[in-house]
Amino acid sequence: MTDALKLGFGPFTAPAKGVLVVFCDDSLKFGPATAKALGSANGLVARAAKAEHFTGKSGSSLDLIVPEGLKVVRLTVVGVGKVSELTPKDFLKLGGIAMGKVPASAADGAVFAELPGGAMKPDQVADLAQGAKLRAYKFDRYKTKRKDDDHSVKSRAVTIATGDSSGARRAFEARDGIADGVLMARDLVNEPANVLYPDEFARRTLALKKVGVAVEVLDVKAMKKLGMNALLGVGQGSSHDSRMVVMRWNGGKKNDAPVAFIGKGVCFDTGGISIKPASGMEDMKGDMAGAACVVGLMHALAARKAKVNAVGLIGCVENMPDGNAQRPGDIVTSMSGQTIEIINTDAEGRLVLADVLWYAAKRFKPKFMIDLATLTGAIIVALGQEYAGMFTNNDELSHRLHLSGEATGELVWRMPLNPVYDKMLDSKFADMKHTGGSRWGGAITAAQFIQRFVADKTPWVHLDIAGTGFDSRMSDINKSWGSGWGVRLLDKLVADYYEK
Ligand code: BES
Ligand code: MN
Ligand code: ZN
């Protein structure tokens, strides 16, 4: 929730009761306006730097409390390393670091957007601001007791000081929308499953209408009619009915084929009859991180009025083990007509994707489709929490996503798809089983299964985000359990390659 942060751009004034953040390079050099603003405190900073062995290397910082000669309560100097080497990703990080120096107890903050070489460009200021916004996010709606360090301050106003406020404001508009998309995704992932069940998830996507996204919600009856029995089988053991949501943003040319994004929205994954062990099961409220990313992405694209036609589809179900639940050995007929023998009811995500992917390709004939799913523990074994696993039938998409990953810091690593794995999916009774029967190559057999539901050779990417969607590595721009991973990655992909 971000309502506690007021982020603005304006001329420099040191906040009287607040925190001032300034930047220096790795020779401890400030920009001319910063040096002037520090005035007599310049000497103090030099002495403190020496005492603390602060050298201004990228990401390091130096704090001075009630610095003599300045009105502020705290002055923080953040090192940027070598100015000539700074990339957009670095400005995001610096914004995050700066925001981290403005504690919740501070009334105001000012971040002096100047580098040793001089004023930052509007794009750089805007990146800094986006980093600050992402960093400031905190999911605390269920904390009724105020934290000790909260004192009486309810909201923080942080000013990014720049000589070109209107330029920065203009450059920030799109980034603000993208950041809102990330925060929306984080909120959805962080919500507990007693609050966010499939119908409630669908209801929350209706908020996208405000930014011009068309939203359709399909209920169980509608999905039955379409023959989506693979998806419906997963949800049948829950007292919460399944839903599919179709979101459309038409910012491109009228008859241009859309790009499509598909998300696994398992609101809670108990494993079903093949029930999971108790330890850590609470994390499975985040098993809808793929769907959350798709919703956040649709918001981002619409908010910044992306010149693209995009569709987002999410399959929302709850995987529970009641008397009506699906059993191992059951055989379901998917929308594609292919029959599936259920082996382990904990491999539910691929069943949801099977029907939603088939539907997406048939209905929209998209340029490409990308699915995101917290699909397998095996991908965490393979890649840890830094990279998402990428499986694709298309080299160009693979290359482009790789570059978008490097640019945004949301990294993807390509994994193999190959028919040699197919025999692991052979079933005695149906067209196929849905798990490989052994744990070896578990992320690959899952992808191999999903590929069978990609209709008409549609260019397709599967991103296994089990390691990155939640409980992943904290960073300077994310302190939240639900990371909102993928929104910035896919927004960048669209912006760089699919907008005319
Ligand atoms: N949602 C889980 C995968 C998961 C595990 C995501 C840990 C995030 C953190 C998925 O539905 C699942 O249970 N996968 C099984 C598949 C197996 C039964 C073939 C797994 O990975 O163990
Ligand atoms: Mn599962
Ligand atoms: Zn799952």
Side-chain angles (χ1 to χ4, degrees):
M1 275 164 281
T2 51
D3 40 9
L5 173 69
K6 286 196 209 77
L7 199 58
F9 303 91
F12 176 71
T13 44
K17 288 179 297 177
V19 179
L20 171 62
V21 182
V22 298
F23 300 104
C24 73
D25 69 6
D26 59 1
S27 58
L28 295 181
K29 212 170 141 241
F30 292 111
T34 311
K36 191 167 160 233
L38 291 181
S40 63
N42 274 293
L44 198 63
V45 170
R47 277 167 55 212
K50 202 160 175 213
E52 286 284 284
H53 303 291
F54 173 77
T55 58
K57 81 173 195 295
S58 173
S60 65
S61 62
L62 176 71
D63 296 317
L64 284 88
I65 315 297
V66 288
E68 186 78 58
L70 289 174
K71 278 188 287 179
V72 299
V73 227
R74 191 214 296 233
L75 168 69
T76 295
V77 183
V78 175
V80 306
K82 298 221 178 328
V83 172
S84 60
E85 290 169 8
L86 291 172
T87 66
K89 205 167 59 181
D90 294 317
F91 284 94
L92 223 64
K93 179 178 107 167
L94 290 171
I97 294 172
M99 193 65 222
K101 292 296 175 181
V102 185
S105 58
D108 294 311
V111 179
F112 212 149
E114 191 197 37
L115 294 167
M120 287 184 195
K121 297 190 189 78
D123 277 347
Q124 297 173 327
V125 181
D127 282 333
L128 199 76
Q130 194 191 40
K133 178 163 173 158
L134 293 172
R135 170 62 176 261
Y137 171 86
K138 206 166 155 194
F139 184 78
D140 55 7
R141 66 172 62 143
Y142 299 104
K143 296 268 193 195
T144 64
K145 306 224 170 29
R146 235 193 285 124
K147 293 262 189 44
D148 289 346
D149 70 349
D150 250 1
H151 301 296
S152 60
V153 178
K154 292 224 170 53
S155 74
R156 285 176 288 177
V158 173
T159 306
I160 317 267
T162 163
D164 183 4
S165 318
S166 61
R169 211 166 285 131
R170 233 174 298 125
F172 184 56
E173 247 170 59
R175 288 164 176 88
D176 195 18
I178 297 164
D180 280 332
V182 175
L183 304 195
M184 192 180 271
R186 286 182 187 168
D187 266 349
L188 290 166
V189 177
N190 285 326
E191 279 288 12
N194 60 328
V195 174
L196 197 81
Y197 45 88
D199 191 36
E200 172 63 13
F201 196 157
R203 203 183 60 74
R204 294 212 184 173
T205 64
L206 300 179
L208 292 174
K209 287 182 176 179
K210 270 185 277 176
V211 285
V213 174
V215 183
E216 275 168 72
V217 178
L218 283 80
D219 61 10
V220 170
K221 197 167 146 221
M223 287 188 281
K224 261 196 190 130
K225 208 163 147 202
L226 288 165
M228 303 184 107
N229 300 308
L231 180 152
L232 290 169
V234 175
Q236 77 187 31
S238 167
S239 55
H240 292 296
D241 276 348
S242 304
R243 294 284 184 272
M244 176 167 70
V245 184
V246 180
M247 296 156 273
R248 277 174 298 158
W249 165 251
N250 291 317
K253 294 205 195 84
K254 189 138 189 279
N255 292 315
D256 224 4
V259 296
F261 302 95
I262 289 94
K264 168 180 173 181
V266 176
C267 292
F268 196 81
D269 180 13
T270 63
I273 294 300
S274 315
I275 200 162
K276 287 181 181 294
S279 163
M281 202 205 273
E282 65 278 10
D283 281 359
M284 287 301 118
K285 73 172 184 177
D287 209 18
M288 30 55 72
C293 171
V294 170
V295 175
L297 174 67
M298 293 306 288
H299 176 91
L301 294 176
R304 69 173 182 79
K305 301 204 166 37
K307 291 189 178 56
V308 69
N309 295 331
V311 294
L313 298 98
I314 59 175
C316 299
V317 300
E318 189 182 45
N319 189 20
M320 297 288 270
D322 82 354
N324 194 42
Q326 173 157 277
R327 292 151 290 253
D330 284 4
I331 295 174
V332 294
T333 303
S334 66
M335 185 181 173
S336 74
Q338 300 173 92
T339 58
I340 305 164
E341 183 189 4
I342 306 300
I343 300 298
N344 183 324
T345 64
D346 197 10
E348 82 297 339
R350 63 196 75 182
L351 296 167
V352 173
L353 291 176
D355 277 340
V356 182
L357 279 169
W358 187 265
Y359 177 84
K362 284 295 177 191
R363 174 169 171 193
F364 293 107
K365 302 186 172 29
K367 265 198 196 95
F368 66 74
M369 47 187 190
I370 298 181
D371 79 69
L372 300 102
T374 46
L375 206 67
T376 67
I379 201 67
I380 313 178
V381 175
L383 299 175
Q385 298 181 309
E386 308 292 337
Y387 280 83
M390 167 170 68
F391 301 83
T392 177
N393 59 9
N394 187 285
D395 292 343
E396 182 181 65
L397 273 170
S398 164
H399 181 63
R400 290 176 172 182
L401 270 167
H402 168 77
L403 294 177
S404 305
E406 293 289 330
T408 56
E410 296 188 328
L411 301 166
V412 295
W413 193 259
R414 190 171 186 177
M415 301 282 289
L417 281 168
N418 193 308
V420 292
Y421 292 97
D422 276 343
K423 56 183 171 300
M424 295 172 82
L425 298 174
D426 289 347
S427 160
K428 274 200 284 295
F429 302 103
D431 294 341
M432 69 191 89
K433 307 190 288 190
H434 74 139
T435 65
S438 111
R439 288 165 50 207
W440 294 0
I444 305 171
T445 48
Q448 209 65 38
F449 173 86
I450 298 168
Q451 186 174 27
R452 296 177 177 200
F453 300 88
V454 174
D456 308 325
K457 300 204 166 70
T458 306
W460 154 78
V461 180
H462 158 56
L463 297 176
D464 192 334
I465 62 167
T468 56
F470 55 78
D471 196 26
S472 54
R473 178 178 52 92
M474 294 293 158
S475 71
D476 292 315
I477 56 167
N478 180 40
K479 297 293 168 192
S480 160
W481 183 81
S483 61
W485 192 97
V487 174
R488 290 186 305 111
L489 170 77
L490 297 175
D491 176 79
K492 178 83 174 145
L493 176 81
V494 170
D496 283 355
Y497 303 105
Y498 300 97
E499 290 186 55
K500 306 269 150 57

